[in-house]
Amino acid sequence: MKSTLEFQEELFQQHLATKGRVKPESKSTIERAISSRLARGQDTRIIICGENGIGKSTLSLRLGELVAPQVFVDHPEKAVAENVTFTPLEYMHQVRSLPSGSVLISDESGQSTHHRESWSPANIIMSKLLIGYRYHKFCAMFNLPTIDLLDADGRRLTNYYIFIQKQGDSEVFRTMISKFGGPAWYEKIVDHYRFTKPRDELFKLYEARKFANQDALYESMEKELKDIGTSKRTNADIIMEVKSDPTRFQRDGKLDHSYIMQTFNVGLHRAESIKRMAERSDDYP
C-alpha cells in the first residue's frame, strides 16, 4: 500500500514525463520536505541567499517547476505574472489572491525590506503576514543577497535557509528556534543541493518582468535623490539660478511661478515668494 507522499511523488513524476518539458529526476531532500509539509497541511517558508548573479532566482524558479509544475511548467506566463513578486504590496496582494498550496516567490526582497528599515510599516506588515498566513499552505521563497536583509522576526518564522555557494550548488539548513526565544539558528541538512536552470521560456519571461521592475525602481530612486538635492537649496540659491537664465522660467516675457515649482520641486507659496524676490533684485535683467 503506497503512502500519500509516495503516491504524490509518483503523480509528480508522471506529470513531468507526460509533458516532456522538464527532465524527470528523483526528489532532493528539500523537495521531499516541501511536498511532505504540503501533504500534512503545512506551509513552507524558505530564505535563499547568495551574492548577486549567483542563481537565487534560478533556484527559486526551478523549485517552482518541481513543486508546482501545473503552473510553472504548463503556464509560465501566469507563474511569472502571479507567483513572482518584487514588493511587499505585490506580495500582500498575491497572498490574498492565490489559491491554497501555491508557490509564491519574493524576488530581490532586500530592495524593499532592508534591515535598516526593519521597523518601517512595510516590514512590520510583512512579519505579521508571515505569522498569520499559515492556513494558505504556501511554499514561500524569499531571494536575498544576505540573510540579515530580512528582519529578525521574518528570519525566525522561516523553515529553511538555502545558501548558494556557486552557480548550481547550494547548502540547505533547517531553521531552529530556541524554546526560550532569541535569534534563530540553523542546522545543516544538505551539504550540496545541486540544481539546474529552469526552462528557457520561464526564465526569459521572468527576466523581462524583472528588468521592467528594476527600471521603475531606478526611476523612483532618481526622483527621490532629486527631491533630496533640491530640498536643501535655499531661496538665495534658487534666486541666483533664476537670475542667471531667467528665460527658462518665463512665460510671455515674465517670470512664472509654475516653472519654478517644477524645476526646483517647491510649493506654490515658496515659488511665488522666490519670483517676487528675484524680480525685485537690483541685478535682475
Side-chain angles (χ1 to χ4, degrees):
M1 186 79 178
K2 293 181 180 179
S3 68
T4 302
L5 183 55
E6 288 173 334
F7 183 67
Q8 195 176 47
E9 287 197 18
E10 184 176 311
L11 288 178
F12 172 84
Q13 295 298 335
Q14 287 175 359
H15 178 92
L16 298 183
T18 301
K19 293 297 177 183
R21 297 176 181 175
V22 179
K23 183 181 177 181
E25 55 190 64
S26 60
K27 284 195 174 182
S28 69
T29 299
I30 187 65
E31 293 157 36
R32 288 197 302 271
I34 294 170
S35 297
S36 178
R37 289 181 65 86
L38 291 174
R40 296 197 305 268
Q42 295 178 301
D43 64 333
T44 306
R45 306 160 188 185
I46 304 168
I47 302 176
I48 301 175
C49 293
E51 64 184 51
N52 290 337
I54 202 167
K56 298 182 293 295
S57 302
T58 297
L59 174 54
S60 58
L61 291 171
R62 180 61 177 151
L63 284 173
E65 285 185 331
L66 295 170
V67 175
Q70 70 278 11
V71 177
F72 283 77
V73 173
D74 297 346
H75 303 285
E77 300 92 344
K78 178 181 174 68
V80 170
E82 299 181 3
N83 297 75
V84 179
T85 67
F86 294 94
T87 68
L89 181 60
E90 286 183 357
Y91 193 89
M92 171 67 81
H93 183 267
Q94 295 311 109
V95 164
R96 297 178 61 229
S97 303
L98 290 174
S100 178
S102 296
V103 170
L104 183 54
I105 297 169
S106 178
D107 199 62
E108 296 299 321
S109 310
Q111 295 186 16
S112 54
T113 53
H114 195 276
H115 67 100
R116 292 175 182 171
E117 300 169 349
S118 61
W119 291 108
S120 69
N123 216 317
I124 292 172
I125 289 171
M126 285 290 284
S127 293
K128 289 182 177 179
L129 184 62
L130 286 170
I131 294 171
Y133 77 172
R134 178 184 57 82
Y135 68 93
H136 283 288
K137 303 175 187 176
F138 286 150
C139 172
M141 290 177 265
F142 299 87
N143 298 338
L144 297 163
T146 63
I147 194 170
D148 58 353
L149 289 180
L150 191 65
D151 76 348
D153 287 336
R155 294 195 295 271
R156 281 195 294 267
L157 294 169
T158 57
N159 307 112
Y160 296 97
Y161 167 45
I162 301 178
F163 179 76
I164 302 179
Q165 308 170 87
K166 59 183 180 180
Q167 290 186 341
D169 189 12
S170 62
E171 299 173 303
V172 181
F173 301 82
R174 182 187 292 112
T175 306
M176 310 298 290
I177 304 298
S178 170
K179 65 175 68 176
F180 303 110
W185 54 283
Y186 304 92
E187 176 188 37
K188 184 186 289 190
I189 57 175
V190 178
D191 285 327
H192 296 281
Y193 172 47
R194 295 183 172 88
F195 57 94
T196 57
K197 291 182 178 180
R199 292 188 313 127
D200 285 344
E201 182 183 3
L202 175 65
F203 198 73
K204 287 178 180 177
L205 288 166
Y206 156 78
E207 282 194 319
R209 181 159 182 245
K210 178 176 180 177
F211 292 152
N213 180 80
Q214 285 184 329
D215 286 343
L217 176 65
Y218 296 151
E219 183 179 350
S220 174
M221 288 179 174
E222 182 180 5
K223 183 180 183 303
E224 187 174 346
L225 289 171
K226 181 179 178 182
D227 291 346
I228 292 171
T230 56
S231 64
K232 292 182 179 180
R233 293 188 183 182
T234 65
N235 285 357
D237 293 333
I238 296 175
I239 290 169
M240 185 177 296
E241 186 167 339
V242 170
K243 290 192 297 183
S244 68
D245 186 8
T247 56
R248 289 174 52 204
F249 308 96
Q250 290 179 348
R251 188 198 303 265
D252 298 329
K254 295 182 179 180
L255 286 181
D256 190 303
H257 66 271
S258 63
Y259 291 160
I260 297 174
M261 291 174 64
Q262 294 170 11
T263 303
F264 301 104
N265 193 31
V266 297
L268 173 61
H269 296 302
R270 186 179 178 190
E272 289 178 335
S273 176
I274 289 169
K275 172 181 174 291
R276 288 193 299 269
M277 287 188 287
E279 290 173 334
R280 291 172 184 171
S281 300
D282 295 336
D283 56 346
Y284 180 70

